[in-house]
Amino acid sequence: MMESGVPICNTCGEQVGFNPNGEVFVACHHCNYPICHHCLDYDIKEGRNACIRCGNPYGDDDAVAAEVGAEASESHMQVGSHLDTVQDAGIHARNISTVSTLDSEYMDESGNPIWKNRVESWKDKKNKKKKAAAKEKKEAQMPTEQQMDEKPESADATQPLSRVVPLPKSQLAPYRTVIIMRLVILILFFHYRVTHPVDSAVGLWLTSVICEIWFAFSWILDQFPKWTPVNRETYIDRLSARYEREGEPNELAAVDFFVSTVDPLKEPPLITANTVLSILAVDYPVDKVSCYVSDDGAAMLSFESLVETADFARKWVPFCKKFAIEPRAPEFYFSQKIDYLKDKIQPSFVKERRAMKRDYEEYKVRVNALVAKAQKTPDEGWTMADGTSWPGNNPRDHPGMIQVFLGSTGALDIEGNELPRLVYVSREKRPGYQHHKKAGAENALIRVSAVLTNAPFILNLDCDHYVNNSKAVREAMCFLMDPQVGGDVCYVQFPQRFDGIDKSDRYANRNTVFFDVNMKGLDGIQGPVYVGTGCVFNRQALYGYGPSSLPTLPKSSSSCSWCGSCCCCCLRKKPTKEKDLSEVYRDAKREDLNAAIFNLREIDSYDEHERSLLISQMSFEKTFGLSSVFIESTLMENGGVAESSNPSLLIKEAIHVISCGYEEKTAWGKEIGWIYGSVTEDILTGFKMQCRGWRSIYCMPLRPAFKGSAPINLSDRLHQVLRWALGSVEIFLSRHCPLWYGFGGGRLKLLQRLAYINTIVYPFTSLPLIAYCTLPAICLLTGKFIIPTLSNLASVLFLGLFLSIILTSVLELRWSGVSIEALWRNEQFWVIGGVSAHLFAVFQGFLKMLAGLDTNFTVTAKASDDAEFGELYMIKWTTVLIPPTTILVVNLVGVVAGFSDALNNGYGAWGPLFGKVFFAFWVILHLYPFLKGMMGRQNRTPTIVILWSVLLASVFSLIWVKIDPFVSKNDSSMLAQSCIAIDC
């Protein structure tokens, strides 16, 4: 705990501490500039004896140095007692949990802290670097012919592993020109709209102008991050030539796969099993692959299905690798309607394929039998094969469970080859603890994997997203393992692709515009946002460390050297001398924005004393928790299990790091790991990384890397959109809102910030969108309009606006390759989701964040068909369906009323009617997929939806006729005078 009243050191961020007399330590008695004794000691060693704030000497250098040295030795003596205290606290913490077993060793045989071994390894690392440099120098002096004879190397091994393919100027230049042109036209358009009000309907005019301004703002947020879209190419053959040389150890980096599941009755175990099987059969060295399955529901069904899956994998994995089949998820491979003999020349393929399909059908029968058995839970709870009670019978109160199925001694396939590691993980849950849903489960997997395998890279997948391209990991490694590219890359994001969607993609489930347009645009700035699945992470970035590249410091003439801004303190008194380069470099490293501890690469420049102080005093336990094994793993930049760890205690340590109280008073979910605070933890997690200066990369291989399933019926799709929008509202109301978070470091680029702002404000577009979609009906019912009589200039502006909108869309289609149908479906569902799910998300988000009320909109199935895409026609009742249905009914009523009025008033009324009807048909066309989905295959719309919508539309129309607020008072008085008789 920080003690109150003790200032913070402006150099390292720690407390300045106390002097031997028990008083707060003061380095400079002239200006009281806060600096701790360690930083002062460093400054004196470097020959800087003057205060960096006021420039006055510190005083008697010898006395100061003696005082600092005494305090440093006293602090050094306190380190041992601190570690002893940590050891006791760790044992005590473990005894709290019922799943805790023997405590792990905090000391080695000689009594030294375990992480001190890392200091020795850094020494070895530095020596190795010196030897490598000497070797390179020696080779440089050799004749070229001798070097070629001693070390033949492929030309591909020295070439880049990837390449940025910018868009041709013939596509990009017109696109940018149209964007600027559209922006200019928008400015002229709003100048006309504001200066030409509609006097007869001021309310309608003002409402429409406000809505149009918000739409223009949303367009800017969405369009300008697409300013520099790029494509990328990868070279897998060069990756192999560099890291998989014949006769040498394989140097490809290890990868830990994360698969998350909660309820096996909602997430079928067979789907999860296919995802796991596709991971185990991936085209990557088996000793470099580990698959961790998180069962956050502690279901015995998930555990037993994984047992069956591990057994079937012993047959499936060698079959996939022998015949190089794609995809390597058996359910989707055997269901392909293609010629499976294409490119398969082995004579035994047909026979083995038939045998494998038969084995898979038998495996499915066993898994489905487990599912059928799990439909009804026994009164006494589930019992395991050995007769003991299943620990997870109470999913909200159970110990942590870990089971290693494959990857251990003797777990070989049917051909005697090693298999990748498969680990079942169910973290501990106890009442009274906040578990943070998926984000908490992912963080538990980070710690377990760090203890057991500690691969430098992590690939997370949803349980319904299988590996469709067995070389997907190699695609990602072409970026992450490229020394010229991967140094500051926090993750490589793949696009989401889906199976089982109807050809027309009625509800824009494929989300093609986002994945093929927006994400390509972000890739040209600072990288795509994290979308929750199909992403390969740099583990060090998840730990909160900063990238290897350091930010450029502002010039001393424009910012204060100690407060970092152009304040008056710089004008009052300037330092007597400029900082040298080493001090500037050190300050830059210390001010690394939001880094949990420090940049790992800076350790190489420290001497032994500085390293020991850094490791012992940077509060590892406050950040990462009380596990010395895990803390040591965080310091291993290239991954791997620490040599000092005891293999027999690793599982026990892994159980400890998934205890429910492990994250208490740590930085988990705040600064490191998956970030808590929103149901869309993916957006927050990626945002925090990029605020630290990391960048991400978008990888789109020709064969989709991963494929998943999407909810294709209307109700489920709207509830999916509702969940995403609710997460965005939660972020908007949190401290991580991109409108104000992360400005201090200046690491997030402006266009990237606009993109993140767009991800949190888009639900609020529902309010002006509903108003704008209701305006056509109001205009038709009242006979008024939102636009005055058009002049020639106004007609040109409107025509130019429509043409710029069309041109922007056409040019986007040209460089992205998206079809017109996909663009139109995206536009339609933007309106459908905006007037339904986004509206509910805004109100639910404010109720949840401000009043603490959590509102759930239940979904109830009404009807379904068994034919192909039967789920598409399933009708489910939910309150989210009411607003768009009401808007549809109101606009249809308005169209009927408008035509009736035109027929009664003669030829002169048809001209003004055209604009109003066009406006109404614009709304109806956008809501047509919703109307079609409501009707279903047999036009079986839920009666309650029709009743609610007709009731709301009728009440709205009657109130409107009674109040008629947009008709001016003069018109009302004239109408009253002309209608004196009862039969007027």
Side-chain angles (χ1 to χ4, degrees):
M1 291 289 291
M2 291 286 187
E3 298 183 28
S4 59
V6 180
I8 303 298
C9 175
N10 276 16
T11 303
C12 65
E14 295 290 328
Q15 287 185 324
V16 297
F18 300 91
N19 59 24
N21 298 328
E23 301 175 351
V24 176
F25 177 77
V26 178
C28 179
H29 294 279
H30 295 275
C31 64
N32 293 329
Y33 179 63
I35 181 173
C36 67
H37 51 342
H38 298 299
C39 295
L40 178 60
D41 186 24
Y42 176 83
D43 287 346
I44 292 174
K45 285 182 180 179
E46 295 294 321
R48 294 188 291 272
N49 300 321
C51 177
I52 62 175
R53 177 177 178 181
C54 64
N56 291 312
Y58 286 125
D60 186 358
D61 295 342
D62 297 334
V64 172
E67 180 184 357
V68 172
E71 293 184 2
S73 62
E74 179 184 354
S75 174
H76 203 68
M77 292 175 61
Q78 292 176 352
V79 171
S81 62
H82 172 69
L83 290 174
D84 293 338
T85 305
V86 170
Q87 181 179 0
D88 296 338
I91 296 173
H92 176 70
R94 296 170 195 217
N95 289 333
I96 294 175
S97 171
T98 60
V99 302
S100 302
T101 55
L102 298 177
D103 58 64
S104 63
E105 299 293 337
Y106 279 87
M107 300 289 181
D108 60 12
E109 295 179 356
S110 60
N112 294 322
I114 282 179
W115 53 49
K116 266 205 167 183
N117 294 322
R118 286 301 298 157
V119 178
E120 301 300 327
S121 67
W122 278 317
K123 289 182 182 178
D124 296 338
K125 180 180 175 183
K126 201 167 187 179
N127 292 334
K128 288 180 180 178
K129 285 185 176 179
K130 290 180 179 178
K131 292 179 180 178
K135 185 178 179 181
E136 289 179 1
K137 186 177 181 181
K138 182 180 179 181
E139 289 180 351
Q141 296 173 355
M142 290 183 182
T144 308
E145 296 81 2
Q146 185 177 350
Q147 292 184 33
M148 294 177 64
D149 292 339
E150 290 187 357
K151 191 179 179 180
E153 185 174 328
S154 172
D156 288 344
T158 60
Q159 294 181 348
L161 303 180
S162 63
R163 181 172 72 96
V164 175
V165 184
L167 265 65
K169 291 185 178 180
S170 59
Q171 295 180 358
L172 192 57
Y175 180 64
R176 291 176 173 176
T177 303
V178 171
I179 290 177
I180 299 299
M181 180 181 71
R182 183 172 172 179
L183 188 62
V184 172
I185 293 176
L186 275 174
I187 295 173
L188 297 175
F189 171 78
F190 283 119
H191 178 266
Y192 169 79
R193 293 283 282 136
V194 171
T195 56
H196 292 77
V198 181
D199 296 329
S200 60
V202 176
L204 288 175
W205 166 79
L206 184 61
T207 302
S208 65
V209 169
I210 294 174
C211 294
E212 288 162 2
I213 291 175
W214 178 265
F215 295 151
F217 172 70
S218 300
W219 173 79
I220 291 174
L221 290 180
D222 183 66
Q223 196 69 44
F224 275 84
K226 307 173 190 174
W227 188 257
T228 55
V230 298
N231 296 310
R232 294 183 185 269
E233 287 183 357
T234 55
Y235 305 104
I236 299 178
D237 53 344
R238 297 179 185 176
L239 180 75
S240 299
R242 181 177 297 183
Y243 296 107
E244 293 182 295
R245 297 174 185 173
E246 188 176 354
E248 297 182 11
N250 194 303
E251 296 180 355
L252 286 176
V255 180
D256 288 338
F257 287 77
F258 291 175
V259 179
S260 301
T261 182
V262 179
D263 187 351
L265 298 180
K266 294 181 179 178
E267 301 165 338
L270 195 61
I271 298 298
T272 305
N274 271 269
T275 300
V276 171
L277 289 169
S278 68
I279 292 172
L280 297 179
V282 73
D283 182 8
Y284 209 69
V286 292
D287 60 324
K288 308 286 187 179
V289 175
S290 300
C291 179
Y292 293 83
V293 180
S294 171
D295 176 19
D296 220 30
M300 188 173 175
L301 173 58
S302 299
F303 180 84
E304 290 185 332
S305 64
L306 209 58
V307 173
E308 294 287 348
T309 302
D311 184 61
F312 179 71
R314 297 176 65 247
K315 304 176 184 178
W316 175 252
V317 173
F319 171 76
C320 293
K321 294 188 176 181
K322 180 178 180 180
F323 299 107
I325 68 168
E326 296 283 1
R328 299 189 177 181
E331 181 69 24
F332 301 95
Y333 170 69
F334 289 122
S335 62
Q336 290 182 114
K337 298 179 181 179
I338 61 173
D339 180 14
Y340 63 85
L341 293 177
K342 185 179 181 181
D343 299 329
K344 298 295 185 294
I345 60 176
Q346 297 94 331
S348 62
F349 173 68
V350 175
K351 181 179 179 180
E352 293 193 33
R353 184 184 185 277
R354 288 174 181 171
M356 185 54 61
K357 187 173 183 180
R358 183 172 59 251
D359 290 339
Y360 178 64
E361 293 298 330
E362 293 174 356
Y363 162 74
K364 285 175 63 176
V365 169
R366 294 194 298 271
V367 174
N368 289 330
L370 294 174
V371 175
K373 179 182 175 182
Q375 296 296 325
K376 185 177 181 181
T377 306
D379 296 335
E380 65 279 6
W382 297 107
T383 305
M384 294 187 290
D386 59 358
T388 59
S389 178
W390 172 248
N393 278 323
N394 186 347
R396 298 183 180 179
D397 187 2
H398 65 84
M401 294 176 283
I402 294 177
Q403 176 66 48
V404 180
F405 288 108
L406 301 175
S408 57
T409 304
L412 306 177
D413 62 25
I414 57 175
E415 297 182 357
N417 299 318
E418 185 182 355
L419 286 169
R421 183 180 298 236
L422 175 61
V423 185
Y424 170 87
V425 179
S426 181
R427 58 181 173 146
E428 181 189 19
K429 287 191 175 181
R430 301 296 181 193
Y433 287 91
Q434 182 65 259
H435 300 293
H436 303 289
K437 299 181 179 179
K438 180 183 176 182
E442 296 285 352
N443 284 339
L445 288 182
I446 292 178
R447 298 192 292 272
V448 169
S449 62
V451 171
L452 297 181
T453 52
N454 196 31
F457 302 109
I458 293 172
L459 196 161
N460 84 297
L461 291 172
D462 289 342
C463 63
D464 59 346
H465 277 69
Y466 64 92
V467 181
N468 183 66
N469 184 348
S470 62
K471 297 184 183 295
V473 182
R474 294 177 180 271
E475 296 275 357
M477 292 302 116
C478 286
F479 302 106
L480 295 170
M481 295 190 68
D482 191 337
Q484 303 299 324
V485 177
D488 59 348
V489 175
C490 55
Y491 60 83
V492 176
Q493 178 67 62
F494 291 88
Q496 291 187 24
R497 304 301 187 205
F498 301 98
D499 288 318
I501 298 177
D502 59 300
K503 284 186 177 181
S504 62
D505 192 14
R506 182 184 295 178
Y507 307 122
N509 280 283
R510 293 190 177 92
N511 217 351
T512 311
V513 173
F514 174 76
F515 286 112
D516 290 13
V517 180
N518 296 50
M519 297 287 267
K520 282 185 180 180
L522 292 178
D523 198 17
I525 309 172
Q526 198 172 343
V529 298
Y530 169 43
V531 298
T533 185
C535 187
V536 186
F537 286 97
N538 183 333
R539 186 183 284 269
Q540 296 298 322
L542 284 171
Y543 288 156
Y545 295 124
S548 57
S549 58
L550 293 173
T552 302
L553 293 178
K555 296 181 180 179
S556 57
S557 60
S558 61
S559 64
C560 179
S561 62
W562 68 277
C563 68
S565 61
C566 300
C567 55
C568 57
C569 64
C570 299
L571 301 176
R572 290 197 301 266
K573 195 166 188 177
K574 293 184 180 181
T576 56
K577 64 176 182 178
E578 297 291 330
K579 293 183 180 182
D580 58 20
L581 292 178
S582 62
E583 185 177 355
V584 172
Y585 180 75
R586 188 175 181 84
D587 287 347
K589 291 184 294 186
R590 288 184 180 275
E591 295 171 1
D592 197 12
L593 177 65
N594 287 335
I597 302 177
F598 54 85
N599 191 321
L600 289 179
R601 287 181 172 81
E602 73 182 57
I603 298 180
D604 291 333
S605 62
Y606 290 177
D607 57 31
E608 182 178 356
H609 176 66
E610 288 177 316
R611 291 175 187 169
S612 61
L613 288 178
L614 182 67
I615 293 174
S616 61
Q617 297 181 7
M618 292 302 287
S619 301
F620 280 84
E621 296 86 358
K622 293 180 183 179
T623 303
F624 294 117
L626 299 176
S627 171
S628 61
V629 176
F630 175 73
I631 290 174
E632 187 176 5
S633 72
T634 65
L635 302 177
M636 305 179 71
E637 186 178 358
N638 297 319
V641 179
E643 296 178 359
S644 59
S645 61
N646 188 341
S648 64
L649 297 177
L650 288 182
I651 292 294
K652 298 169 185 177
E653 191 68 23
I655 289 288
H656 168 54
V657 299
I658 61 172
S659 59
C660 56
Y662 184 84
E663 295 184 356
E664 293 291 319
K665 297 181 181 180
T666 66
W668 284 102
K670 304 180 184 69
E671 298 297 332
I672 63 175
W674 269 258
I675 306 302
Y676 303 150
S678 171
V679 296
T680 53
E681 70 286 333
D682 46 4
I683 298 293
L684 268 182
T685 303
F687 175 61
K688 291 277 285 188
M689 291 180 186
Q690 294 188 337
C691 280
R692 295 187 183 107
W694 292 95
R695 67 187 181 98
S696 55
I697 283 179
Y698 196 51
C699 182
M700 296 183 64
L702 294 178
R703 180 178 180 87
F706 310 101
K707 280 192 175 182
S709 57
I712 64 173
N713 69 73
L714 178 61
S715 304
D716 288 345
R717 174 69 167 133
L718 288 178
H719 274 265
Q720 182 188 57
V721 174
L722 170 63
R723 186 173 66 254
W724 293 343
L726 177 60
S728 297
V729 176
E730 289 174 344
I731 297 174
F732 177 81
L733 298 175
S734 72
R735 72 183 185 93
H736 290 121
C737 178
L739 288 172
W740 51 73
Y741 182 83
F743 275 100
R747 309 283 186 84
L748 199 65
K749 295 184 179 180
L750 175 61
L751 294 182
Q752 189 79 10
R753 187 174 294 279
L754 287 181
Y756 275 109
I757 292 174
N758 188 41
T759 62
I760 65 161
V761 303
Y762 77 89
F764 297 97
T765 305
S766 59
L767 300 175
L769 187 60
I770 283 184
Y772 212 70
C773 289
T774 310
L775 285 177
I778 297 174
C779 293
L780 288 167
L781 290 172
T782 60
K784 305 297 180 181
F785 201 41
I786 58 176
I787 300 173
T789 303
L790 294 180
S791 62
N792 291 334
L793 176 61
S795 301
V796 171
L797 285 177
F798 275 92
L799 182 62
L801 182 61
F802 280 113
L803 288 177
S804 65
I805 293 174
I806 294 172
L807 279 175
T808 306
S809 302
V810 169
L811 292 174
E812 272 190 8
L813 297 179
R814 186 183 175 196
W815 63 255
S816 66
V818 176
S819 65
I820 295 178
E821 183 182 16
L823 185 70
W824 173 238
R825 291 298 186 204
N826 182 80
E827 183 75 15
Q828 287 179 313
F829 200 79
W830 174 73
V831 176
I832 294 171
V835 299
S836 57
H838 296 173
L839 176 68
F840 280 79
V842 171
F843 286 106
Q844 186 176 355
F846 275 100
L847 287 174
K848 183 177 179 180
M849 302 301 292
L850 301 180
L853 300 177
D854 196 358
T855 308
N856 292 320
F857 304 101
T858 57
V859 179
T860 306
K862 293 298 179 182
S864 63
D865 295 293
D866 296 329
E868 186 180 8
F869 300 118
E871 188 182 354
L872 178 66
Y873 307 100
M874 186 181 295
I875 306 300
K876 298 183 179 182
W877 158 244
T878 171
T879 49
V880 178
L881 301 176
I882 294 178
T885 309
T886 304
I887 291 176
L888 265 173
V889 173
V890 168
N891 276 277
L892 291 173
V893 170
V895 170
V896 173
F899 276 104
S900 300
D901 183 68
L903 288 172
N904 291 331
N905 292 334
Y907 180 79
W910 288 95
L913 178 66
F914 174 77
K916 303 172 189 176
V917 171
F918 175 81
F919 198 8
F921 272 113
W922 179 89
V923 175
I924 295 172
L925 281 176
H926 278 77
L927 293 177
Y928 175 71
F930 174 84
L931 178 63
K932 196 172 180 181
M934 288 289 296
M935 295 302 171
R937 176 174 286 177
Q938 304 296 335
N939 296 332
R940 292 176 295 186
T941 304
T943 306
I944 189 170
V945 175
I946 298 297
L947 290 177
W948 269 103
S949 302
V950 172
L951 177 63
L952 289 175
S954 302
V955 171
F956 173 80
S957 302
L958 291 173
I959 292 177
W960 189 269
V961 171
K962 180 66 178 176
I963 299 176
D964 206 5
F966 293 109
V967 178
S968 63
K969 295 182 179 179
N970 295 334
D971 294 341
S972 301
S973 60
M974 292 176 59
L975 182 64
Q977 292 176 3
S978 61
C979 294
I980 299 176
I982 195 170
D983 58 345
C984 67

